[in-house]
Amino acid sequence: MSDTLTLQMDSLESTERLAELLARHAEGGQFVALCGELGAGKTTFSRALTSSLGCAKLATSPTFSILQHYEGGRLRVFHADLYRLGSEDEVYELGWEEFIEDYSSGLMLVEWADKFPRVLPQDRLTIDCSYHPQDLDQRQFRLRARGPRSERLFRKIGEAWL
């Protein structure tokens, strides 16, 4: 299997399918870095993931509160949106190090993770969300894994997607 998996998201159902696969195979301590431009599907994917995990409340864009928790599902979800932050110092002022320690039994989902790559853990699944080059109504999600936990998840998603 390649070290990059590019998936065509031609419908909301495609995004939900990817979220279901991730929810089914993710282990506690999984970090998911969501990257991409505005409107490319990061929050839609986050909402589908919290739904697939069975969380009591579904993810919304945390842009204004920056950090959210979602309980009641198979894994507790820590959801962050770094869009409004201007520096790594601001990330740490939020209590970032505590969040990184706390998500060991849950799943950390970070939108706009590419703004501050140095604060991210080494072991992570990165999903780059973009508009499809030929059809702006569709999206492409490019998955890359780094570290043993994320590489296991990446392989399971790749095998199940085919």
Side-chain angles (χ1 to χ4, degrees):
M1 180 184 287
S2 170
D3 61 348
T4 301
L5 179 61
T6 302
L7 305 176
Q8 304 307 317
M9 300 290 128
D10 56 4
S11 65
L12 178 58
E13 289 77 20
S14 298
T15 302
E16 291 170 344
R17 179 174 177 229
L18 176 59
E20 289 169 9
L21 290 173
L22 198 151
R24 183 180 319 137
H25 296 293
E27 304 170 18
Q30 181 64 57
F31 190 99
V32 179
L34 295 173
C35 307
E37 58 195 293
L38 279 171
K42 297 178 295 296
T43 301
T44 298
F45 178 79
S46 298
R47 189 174 305 112
L49 182 59
T50 52
S51 175
S52 293
L53 284 167
C55 294
K57 183 178 167 192
L58 301 185
T60 58
S61 178
T63 298
F64 296 104
S65 59
I66 301 174
L67 298 170
Q68 301 270 357
H69 298 136
Y70 299 102
E71 308 281 345
R74 186 176 77 74
L75 295 172
R76 182 178 185 198
V77 176
F78 298 83
H79 185 204
D81 186 325
L82 306 182
Y83 180 73
R84 290 186 337 150
L85 301 182
S87 70
E88 285 180 15
D89 289 340
E90 287 183 65
V91 176
Y92 286 113
E93 287 170 9
L94 292 171
W96 185 254
E97 290 166 329
E98 293 170 19
F99 264 85
I100 294 297
E101 290 173 15
D102 284 348
Y103 85 92
S104 62
S105 63
L107 182 141
M108 183 78 173
L109 185 61
V110 178
E111 297 185 37
W112 297 95
D114 48 336
K115 281 189 74 173
F116 306 108
R118 294 190 321 197
V119 306
L120 306 179
Q122 289 297 312
D123 193 319
R124 65 182 180 264
L125 178 70
T126 300
I127 302 176
D128 291 305
C129 307
S130 62
Y131 291 94
H132 189 284
Q134 283 81 40
D135 185 349
L136 296 180
D137 290 331
Q138 295 185 28
R139 307 291 187 266
Q140 285 184 330
F141 284 9
R142 189 175 68 234
L143 285 67
R144 291 173 286 126
R146 210 174 149 177
R149 176 182 293 116
S150 297
E151 288 170 0
R152 281 191 301 275
L153 178 59
F154 177 85
R155 280 192 306 275
K156 288 177 182 177
I157 290 171
E159 290 166 1
W161 189 266
L162 300 176

